[in-house]
């Protein structure tokens, strides 16, 4: 494992179940491009997931996949690590929220809206 690489299991653990499913789908598509229609890819995809969960280093994953992917195991493993890193960037809590047009941009506006709402409620009570 390189000096700047975090253990893959740490990345994998950060993924939601939806993201794990998305990763499995991406891995399946990638393997179809490499292997074609030969063999049952579901078992290989599951094997890759197990290796990620069990903290196997990148080099071990690459070595294990050589039996299936031969010369493509290196590029595939690099792609897998990059894909996993990109997916976890979005799950660190730094997601951008969509802007709500009703949501004021200025804290002063928030206070003004609250004050006007309070005034409206007070006026409504006085009418009763």
């Amino acid at each position: 494992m390189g000096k700047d690489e975090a253990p893959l299991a740490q990345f994998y653990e950060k993924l939601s179940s939806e993201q794990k499913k998305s990763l499995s789908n991406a891995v399946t598509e990638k393997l179809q491009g490499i292997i074609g229609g030969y063999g049952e890819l579901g078992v290989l995809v599951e094997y890759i997931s197990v290796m990620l969960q069990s903290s196997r280093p990148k080099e071990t994953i690459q070595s294990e996949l050589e039996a299936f992917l031969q010369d493509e195991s290196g590029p595939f493993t690099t792609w897998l690590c990059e894909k996993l890193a990109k997916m976890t960037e979005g799950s660190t809590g730094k997601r951008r929220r969509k802007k709500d047009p009703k949501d004021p941009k200025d804290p002063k506006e928030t206070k003004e809206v609250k004050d006007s709402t309070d005034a409206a409620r007070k006026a409504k009570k006085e009418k009763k």
Side-chain angles (χ1 to χ4, degrees):
M1 186 169 2
K3 295 174 191 172
D4 59 341
E5 290 180 30
L8 296 176
Q10 285 181 354
F11 287 131
Y12 193 77
E13 289 171 2
K14 290 180 181 179
L15 297 179
S16 68
S17 58
E18 185 178 301
Q19 288 174 311
K20 287 177 183 176
K21 186 174 181 176
S22 175
L23 178 64
S24 290
N25 290 339
V27 167
T28 301
E29 287 180 27
K30 186 75 169 176
L31 290 173
Q32 284 174 337
I34 296 170
I35 297 174
Y38 307 106
E40 174 55 43
L41 295 180
V43 174
L44 184 54
V45 171
E46 183 65 27
Y47 179 54
I48 292 167
S49 295
V50 168
M51 287 192 288
L52 291 172
Q53 291 171 21
S54 62
S55 301
R56 299 267 175 94
K58 177 182 175 181
E59 294 79 14
T60 302
I61 294 173
Q62 180 178 334
S63 175
E64 296 282 331
L65 292 176
E66 283 177 1
F68 305 99
L69 306 178
Q70 288 97 33
D71 295 339
E72 291 296 317
S73 65
F76 174 81
T77 306
T78 299
W79 170 85
L80 178 64
C81 294
E82 290 171 356
K83 179 79 173 170
L84 193 54
K86 285 179 186 174
M87 290 181 81
T88 55
E89 284 174 8
S91 64
T92 59
K94 297 180 180 176
R95 294 182 187 163
R96 291 185 180 181
R97 286 186 7 195
K98 289 184 180 179
K99 290 187 179 180
D100 182 355
K102 296 177 185 174
D103 197 21
K105 297 172 185 150
D106 186 356
K108 287 181 194 173
E109 289 179 29
T110 304
K111 184 174 180 351
E112 290 170 5
V113 169
K114 184 180 181 302
D115 289 346
S116 65
T117 303
D118 289 345
R121 285 185 187 146
K122 189 175 181 179
K124 191 174 182 181
K125 282 184 181 178
E126 288 174 0
K127 282 185 178 180
K128 288 182 180 181

